[in-house]
Amino acid sequence: MRRLTLLLAVAAVLLPSLATAAEPTVYDTISKHYEAIRMILLHDSSDGVAPHAEEIATVATRAAGAFDAARHGVDAASADRLRELLPELAKAAGQVAAAGDLAATREAFFPLSQALPKLTTSAARATLFFLP
């Protein structure tokens, strides 16, 4: 009986988190790829940056086209602001993807880094990023 009670208690705790973790928000996806770019640049390289930047641009463009505030983890009051920000993020990420060498990649990364805190505010998340 104790095992059954323990199993049910564990299931009650884990199942809701598994259901909500199935689909990441736009913020989650963009911040994951942003962090990957940041780490690459931190190691004085630009190798591997383009695929992450392209994914940010794709996600931001797709989200701007079919925007759903609840799916993207924002309240209705922030939805318009985020909808306007997504094309800016897509453009900045596209510039990072198209940059050639390390210096150009770092220069292109700056506008993306400026846009990301706006996304953080719109998505009601608190994250601190350190720029390389």
Side-chain angles (χ1 to χ4, degrees), residues 6-100:
L6 180 60
L7 180 62
L8 291 174
V10 169
V13 170
L14 293 179
L15 288 178
S17 65
L18 292 175
T20 58
E23 191 172 347
T25 66
V26 168
Y27 171 83
D28 296 333
T29 303
I30 288 174
S31 63
K32 177 182 88 170
H33 288 285
Y34 175 90
E35 182 61 14
I37 294 169
R38 191 185 72 78
M39 291 304 295
I40 291 168
L41 293 175
L42 187 65
H43 289 98
D44 293 327
S45 177
S46 61
D47 296 339
V49 165
H52 292 289
E54 289 167 358
E55 186 63 21
I56 291 172
T58 300
V59 167
T61 300
R62 192 177 315 139
F67 190 80
D68 176 6
R71 182 185 172 285
H72 298 304
V74 298
D75 58 22
S78 300
D80 288 337
R81 185 170 163 203
L82 183 57
R83 192 177 295 113
E84 292 172 6
L85 174 63
L86 290 168
E88 178 185 340
L89 278 168
K91 180 182 176 185
Q95 291 171 339
V96 171

Side-chain angles (χ1 to χ4, degrees), residues 105-126:
T105 303
R106 282 191 166 141
E107 188 173 324
F109 187 66
F110 183 68
L112 182 62
S113 295
Q114 287 181 313
L116 196 66
K118 297 175 192 173
L119 176 67
T120 304
T121 302
S122 296
R125 309 278 178 127

